[in-house]
Amino acid sequence: MCVFLMSAGQMTDLLYTEKELVHSLREYIKAEESKLSEIKSWARRLDDLTRVSTSDPEGYLAHPVNAYKLMKRLNTEWSHLESLVLHNPSDGFISNMTMHRQYFPDEEDEKGAAKALMRLQDTYQLDSEDFSKGRLPGMHSSAMLTVDDCFDMGKTAYNEADYYHAVLWVQQALKQLDAGEEAVVSKAAVLDYLSYSVYQMGDLPRAIELTRRLVAIEPSHQRAGGNLRYFEKLLLKAQYEQQEEERTKHPDSEEPIQLGTYVRPKDHLPERETYEALCRGEGGGMTEKRRSRLFCRYQDGNRNPRLLLKPMKEEDEWDSPRIVRYLEALSDYEIEKIKEMAKPRLARATVRDPKTGVLTTANYRVSKSAWLEEEDGPVIARVNQRIQDITGLTVDTAELLQVANYGVGGQYEPHFDFSRKDEPDAFKRLGTGNRVATFLNYMSDVEAGGATVFPDFGAVIQPKKGTAVFWYNLFKSGEGDYRTRHAACPVLVGSKWVSNKWIHERGQEFLRPCGLTEVD
């Protein structure tokens, strides 16, 4: 499975790189036009000259000046013209391209970008046509997808045997072709991919219909005839065995393929439907009764000297398990400094392997992250101290401040922050015990998507720049609170910046004493 590995910051840099390359390309075109203009001038002059000289060669050469100029032209001027023709103005452009190519996205990045669009399509139930026309919730853009774009999206899915998404995108390519849009890809190629993908989805009537269209426009197609006979044979057999079931199982092949025509295959995530519904703002667990139990207050960290004059503004986000949000947890200056320090270090985000405790990449976490320590600057020390003051927990045994950037499609599927009993070595290397609590700073607003959701009880927490949320992952007994399984929804529009502090058990023995029961 490919993932989109570029952060929003890196994508921004690529935009400026592309702008510079366009400028370089225009300079190259200008140089080529200048060269061609000079060559045309030579051609016009020599054309006039040869027309006169060849009309009466002997008379022309009888004049000694003409004889001299012929020798000079062929010896000197034609050599100069040859040098002019051989001169390659593209050298500067090619050199610029070569210099920047090392920063270009590769094939895996392109596949990852396509996968990101499909992930957004699934999570937010967006039709392929909405994407192709630039229609996203809350915005309308001029960013359009052409026939070739849609076809390439479908091919990306097809090549990974993801026929569900292949059908959605190749069908959109066909729809735009049928509407008269011009494209590089042929309608025959589109029908070829679509008919086979539809067959793989188990829809034989539609596969036959599409293959007949393919045979009609390209009778000599290498596979179409054989496929058609094979599909028709399968359909006859299926109709004979389960005629009634087949009618209810498959939609009328005359109806257009759209989101919901076919059932998306199940994957590894048991709470996929619940998670994605929460990301769309559906099925949340907030009720009026629960809301009546949520309050806001000023929090001074149990009369902490640093918070007495300016206590934190604390709001309840959820009552059980308790999740609170702190307003004005980070200033704009602190946010910019943290991002400034993190950007050069951003790398593919990792998760801790539950068996080995080693940090490794995972397909269910799609973002870029960096780790910052107090030695990196006074801002980090100040933020760490503030987290300690607010929570009343020591951060001496906490992990470094992790900064993460989620670009469009960036997500972190449902997961636990703490290690479970079946993975006792997850944090063994750190020697600081399990992750007792999570302090999550939101360092940007997000135009659409990017919420933090808790599928177990239906909490949806929207990112808001400068605020932070805090919750305990463990009960006072040290037992894990399995209700805290949470996720970062895919970013639909915009860029999401967060920084988090994972606070560990060691050092909290007297700050958060053990309770009397397992679930205190």
Side-chain angles (χ1 to χ4, degrees):
M1 176 183 175
C2 296
V3 291
F4 196 20
L5 302 182
M6 290 203 166
S7 69
Q10 288 171 313
M11 295 287 285
T12 301
D13 292 341
L14 287 178
L15 287 177
Y16 287 105
T17 295
E18 187 172 42
K19 182 178 180 181
E20 183 180 335
L21 288 175
V22 169
H23 176 74
S24 180
L25 179 61
R26 290 194 178 280
E27 290 296 312
Y28 160 64
I29 292 171
K30 193 184 298 182
E32 284 282 19
E33 288 175 341
S34 176
K35 169 185 167 181
L36 188 58
S37 177
E38 190 174 350
I39 292 171
K40 283 180 177 178
S41 176
W42 272 81
R44 283 193 298 271
R45 185 168 62 84
L46 291 170
D47 192 42
D48 293 340
L49 188 63
T50 54
R51 190 181 302 111
V52 172
S53 64
T54 55
S55 63
D56 181 12
E58 289 188 10
Y60 179 82
L61 291 174
H63 198 295
V65 171
N66 287 340
Y68 164 72
K69 292 185 72 173
L70 175 63
M71 296 301 105
K72 181 187 176 186
R73 278 200 309 275
L74 293 175
N75 181 54
T76 305
E77 295 181 11
W78 275 96
S79 296
H80 177 72
L81 182 59
E82 182 182 24
S83 299
L84 178 63
V85 171
L86 291 174
H87 171 64
N88 191 353
S90 68
D91 289 346
F93 173 67
I94 296 300
S95 174
N96 208 4
M97 277 279 292
T98 303
M99 180 179 68
H100 285 100
R101 189 176 293 280
Q102 59 183 316
Y103 305 111
F104 280 16
D106 57 19
E107 186 178 353
E108 288 302 300
D109 287 312
E110 184 181 343
K111 287 181 182 178
K115 287 286 184 182
L117 287 188
M118 294 174 204
R119 186 159 54 245
L120 293 173
Q121 182 178 32
D122 293 340
T123 304
Y124 299 105
Q125 293 187 346
L126 302 172
D127 192 76
S128 301
E129 185 169 12
D130 290 333
F131 262 121
S132 71
K133 302 303 181 189
R135 296 193 295 260
L136 294 178
M139 70 177 300
H140 188 83
S141 164
S142 60
M144 306 285 190
L145 291 173
T146 65
V147 169
D148 296 297
D149 292 332
C150 293
F151 181 67
D152 288 340
M153 285 281 294
K155 267 187 23 177
T156 297
Y158 181 96
N159 291 336
E160 299 202 0
D162 176 6
Y163 299 109
Y164 172 79
H165 288 108
V167 167
L168 292 176
W169 285 100
V170 181
Q171 162 73 12
Q172 182 59 32
L174 179 61
K175 186 175 182 179
Q176 290 176 217
L177 271 177
D178 286 343
E181 185 178 323
E182 294 185 0
V184 174
V185 65
S186 68
K187 186 173 286 191
V190 171
L191 287 166
D192 187 20
Y193 275 84
L194 183 57
S195 60
Y196 187 75
S197 298
V198 163
Y199 159 67
Q200 287 291 341
M201 291 303 295
D203 190 349
L204 278 169
R206 201 187 302 268
I208 290 171
E209 174 199 340
L210 292 166
T211 308
R212 283 174 179 161
R213 279 191 66 183
L214 173 55
V215 171
I217 63 174
E218 195 172 314
S220 60
H221 192 279
Q222 189 174 359
R223 291 179 302 279
N227 283 352
L228 182 57
R229 288 188 293 274
Y230 177 66
F231 294 158
E232 289 174 336
K233 183 179 177 181
L234 286 177
L235 182 61
L236 284 172
K237 182 180 178 182
Q239 287 174 336
Y240 177 78
E241 293 176 351
Q242 297 175 319
Q243 189 170 8
E244 290 303 315
E245 182 183 345
E246 198 65 39
R247 253 202 304 268
T248 58
K249 185 176 179 181
H250 298 300
D252 185 347
S253 63
E254 293 300 318
E255 295 178 3
I257 299 170
Q258 55 192 357
L259 207 63
T261 298
Y262 302 119
V263 176
R264 179 158 49 122
K266 299 289 184 184
D267 65 5
H268 65 281
L269 201 60
E271 67 265 69
R272 169 73 65 190
E273 290 183 12
T274 303
Y275 154 57
E276 292 183 348
L278 289 173
C279 290
R280 293 192 298 272
E282 302 169 4
M286 182 61 72
T287 62
E288 286 305 315
K289 184 177 180 180
R290 170 164 277 117
R291 199 184 305 277
S292 70
R293 297 196 293 266
L294 305 181
F295 300 94
C296 59
R297 64 193 66 82
Y298 285 105
Q299 210 262 66
D300 63 9
N302 197 22
R303 297 192 62 77
N304 185 295
R306 280 179 288 271
L307 295 178
L308 280 175
L309 293 179
K310 190 181 179 183
M312 295 298 298
K313 299 171 184 175
E314 182 183 86
E315 295 180 350
D316 292 332
E317 286 282 351
W318 207 260
D319 56 340
S320 181
R322 189 164 185 250
I323 305 171
V324 295
R325 186 194 293 262
Y326 296 102
L327 308 186
E328 300 171 11
L330 288 178
S331 68
D332 287 346
Y333 170 78
E334 288 169 332
I335 288 171
E336 291 310 310
K337 289 300 290 184
I338 291 171
K339 287 165 65 174
E340 182 183 310
M341 287 184 279
K343 280 179 180 178
R345 310 182 193 189
L346 286 174
R348 171 80 186 281
T350 56
V351 296
R352 201 168 291 277
D353 189 295
K355 295 181 180 178
T356 65
V358 176
L359 290 172
T360 183
T361 58
N363 288 331
Y364 56 82
R365 187 176 192 188
V366 185
S367 65
K368 289 272 190 170
S369 68
W371 299 83
L372 301 179
E373 50 191 319
E374 293 191 358
E375 288 73 13
D376 291 320
V379 167
I380 306 303
R382 189 159 68 242
V383 169
N384 286 344
Q385 182 64 60
R386 187 178 302 138
I387 293 172
Q388 180 167 297
D389 294 341
I390 293 171
T391 63
L393 302 172
T394 180
V395 296
D396 291 344
T397 55
E399 295 174 48
L400 300 179
L401 187 71
Q402 186 190 49
V403 181
N405 179 212
Y406 297 82
V408 172
Q411 65 164 3
Y412 194 172
E413 289 182 352
H415 62 281
F416 298 102
D417 280 352
F418 64 92
S419 67
R420 276 72 67 210
K421 290 181 178 179
D422 59 346
E423 41 188 46
D425 296 333
F427 302 115
K428 187 175 181 180
R429 291 185 174 211
L430 299 179
T432 53
N434 211 341
R435 288 174 174 166
V436 66
T438 297
F439 194 96
L440 176 63
N441 293 301
Y442 293 116
M443 302 200 302
S444 66
D445 294 314
V446 182
E447 293 179 58
T452 304
V453 298
F454 293 76
D456 187 79
F457 49 89
V460 179
I461 300 174
Q462 296 294 343
K464 185 177 179 183
K465 185 178 180 181
T467 70
V469 291
F470 173 76
W471 68 87
Y472 283 104
N473 299 304
L474 307 179
F475 292 109
K476 290 183 178 181
S477 63
E479 292 294 319
D481 187 345
Y482 284 79
R483 297 173 299 172
T484 61
R485 185 170 167 86
H486 60 285
C489 295
V491 174
L492 180 57
V493 182
S495 173
K496 177 183 174 183
W497 283 89
V498 298
S499 60
N500 59 275
K501 196 76 172 174
W502 282 307
I503 302 170
H504 282 248
E505 290 179 290
R506 297 294 176 264
Q508 319 300 346
E509 293 83 357
F510 299 105
L511 299 173
R512 191 185 188 231
C514 189
L516 297 177
T517 69
E518 277 193 2
V519 294
D520 278 353

